[in-house]
Amino acid sequence: MIFITSSSIKSDSILESVNELASLGISNIELSGGTRYNGSPIKGLKKLENDLSLNFLIHNYFPPPEKDFVLNIASHDESDREASITFAQNSIELAVQLNISFYAMHAGYLINMKPPKPKDDHFVIVQSGMMGREEGEKRMFDSFEQINGFAREKNVRVALENLFPIESFPECSLLIKPDDIFKFLDRFEDDENIGLLLDLGHLVISSNYFGFNKERFLEKLYQSYDNKVFAIHLSGNDGKKDLHCQLNKDSWQLKVLKDINLNGIPVTLELRNLSKDIILDQYNLVENELGI
């Protein structure tokens, strides 16, 4: 099943973004960041879900809070870490209300960051020193276990998303190297409630920067942990930055997915602020190339 992210439409209103995508005939929509707080969106989303026969997923920074912050379950600022755990729990509550079976979020960062400035898409890095990776992973695991305990009570599965090197601080993101990802999967191997959101755009950037073979990584992932891949993200980039731009027919991400069993796995096209014509063309491209 192919989904389009709500942030592909430039709008401050999640209901407007969903309506715009639905007007294109797109019924599978991943609710993500990019809109502004306007009270609880649940009533409006449930009405759209019922009236337009929509299917939703929830990803990371949704629903938007009244006061923006950077969601980071590995933060060494304890108040930020606790706020991130609470945010995830609130997102899981919304997933229950929208009959969504899982919630996926970013793995976390080893450095403090502030939300983007107006008209900017990038976090502002606060240069207050970077945590060691071992400490950051421990904080991430501790936080995620707490989130998973809450999610399990709600009958919702949870997943972490592999991230990518940020140019100014390339080592600050978690789950960016194969060893890190397999360490996470090994730790929760026997927990069927926990899985991975596999972002192929992020994988392209990480493999370019660290020099690992992305095809070999995918081969090992699907040999050992095919049941742990809960969802997949696609987006185009230049191999250096997470641009969320268009894919083309020859994109590596589309080619590699043709060899993967996608039965029951939602595939989300993560675009940013594009015209409706381009969004629909991209949706049709993915649908035609993958045959799902």
Side-chain angles (χ1 to χ4, degrees):
M1 188 177 290
I2 301 169
F3 284 74
I4 294 283
T5 181
S6 59
S7 55
S8 60
I9 298 288
K10 187 173 179 58
S11 174
D12 287 339
S13 166
I14 188 60
L15 299 184
E16 180 180 346
S17 296
V18 170
N19 263 310
E20 289 290 306
L21 289 173
S23 73
L24 298 175
I26 295 171
S27 58
N28 303 321
I29 300 170
E30 184 181 78
L31 305 171
S32 190
T35 57
R36 298 298 178 189
Y37 175 81
N38 189 25
S40 173
I42 183 61
K43 185 176 180 180
L45 288 173
K46 285 186 72 68
K47 179 171 173 48
L48 290 174
E49 181 183 42
N50 294 327
D51 291 352
L52 303 177
S53 299
L54 302 179
N55 301 304
F56 291 130
L57 294 176
I58 293 179
H59 174 241
N60 201 52
Y61 197 61
F62 188 87
E66 189 168 2
K67 183 178 180 181
D68 276 334
F69 73 109
V70 175
L71 185 63
N72 183 10
I73 60 172
S75 178
H76 59 267
D77 184 311
E78 198 59 27
S79 62
D80 285 350
R81 190 175 75 91
E82 289 296 332
S84 297
I85 293 171
T86 299
F87 184 97
Q89 292 171 337
N90 290 337
S91 297
I92 290 165
E93 290 276 15
L94 183 60
V96 172
Q97 295 178 71
L98 292 174
N99 300 310
I100 300 171
S101 64
F102 77 96
Y103 166 67
M105 64 187 305
H106 290 177
Y109 309 93
L110 302 177
I111 198 165
N112 282 345
M113 292 183 281
K114 293 181 180 179
K117 296 177 180 178
K119 298 183 180 180
D120 194 358
D121 291 331
H122 304 291
F123 295 147
V124 178
I125 293 178
V126 180
Q127 296 186 18
S128 58
M130 191 162 66
M131 258 190 306
R133 185 160 295 271
E134 186 174 345
E135 180 186 354
E137 287 178 344
K138 182 181 184 307
R139 288 175 174 271
M140 177 188 72
F141 288 143
D142 288 348
S143 299
F144 197 59
E145 286 174 349
Q146 187 173 335
I147 292 166
N148 181 47
F150 179 86
R152 187 185 295 279
E153 293 177 358
K154 305 292 182 179
N155 199 29
V156 174
R157 296 181 301 160
V158 286
L160 287 184
E161 178 179 3
N162 61 296
L163 296 179
F164 60 94
I166 298 173
E167 280 192 317
S168 51
F169 285 86
E171 296 279 357
C172 81
S173 302
L174 292 169
L175 295 198
I176 54 177
K177 303 175 186 177
D179 286 350
D180 299 335
I181 297 170
F182 287 122
K183 183 177 181 179
F184 161 67
L185 294 172
D186 288 345
R187 183 184 180 101
F188 298 110
E189 180 178 9
D190 297 326
D191 193 329
E192 295 180 354
N193 209 58
I194 289 177
L196 176 72
L197 167 55
L198 174 62
D199 192 305
L200 292 178
H202 293 175
L203 185 65
V204 168
I205 299 171
S206 290
S207 64
N208 282 345
Y209 185 86
F210 294 109
F212 64 83
N213 186 303
K214 53 186 181 292
E215 289 87 359
R216 197 171 300 149
F217 164 76
L218 289 176
E219 182 179 355
K220 181 178 178 181
L221 175 67
Y222 277 91
Q223 283 178 345
S224 303
Y225 289 111
D226 62 321
N227 63 319
K228 285 291 192 180
V229 179
F230 287 179
I232 295 172
H233 274 183
L234 306 176
S235 64
N237 61 59
D238 61 358
K240 297 178 181 179
K241 294 182 180 180
D242 192 32
L243 299 174
H244 295 281
C245 59
Q246 301 171 56
L247 298 171
N248 59 59
K249 189 174 182 178
D250 296 323
S251 292
W252 173 81
Q253 296 175 54
L254 293 178
K255 288 181 179 180
V256 76
L257 282 185
K258 293 179 181 180
D259 296 325
I260 292 174
N261 182 5
L262 298 175
N263 185 33
I265 305 297
V267 176
T268 297
L269 185 55
E270 274 201 310
L271 305 172
R272 289 287 186 275
N273 306 331
L274 296 177
S275 71
K276 291 167 69 173
D277 287 344
I278 292 176
I279 292 169
L280 187 56
D281 286 345
Q282 287 284 288
Y283 181 87
N284 290 334
L285 171 68
V286 175
E287 184 178 51
N288 291 336
E289 289 299 307
L290 299 185
I292 58 175

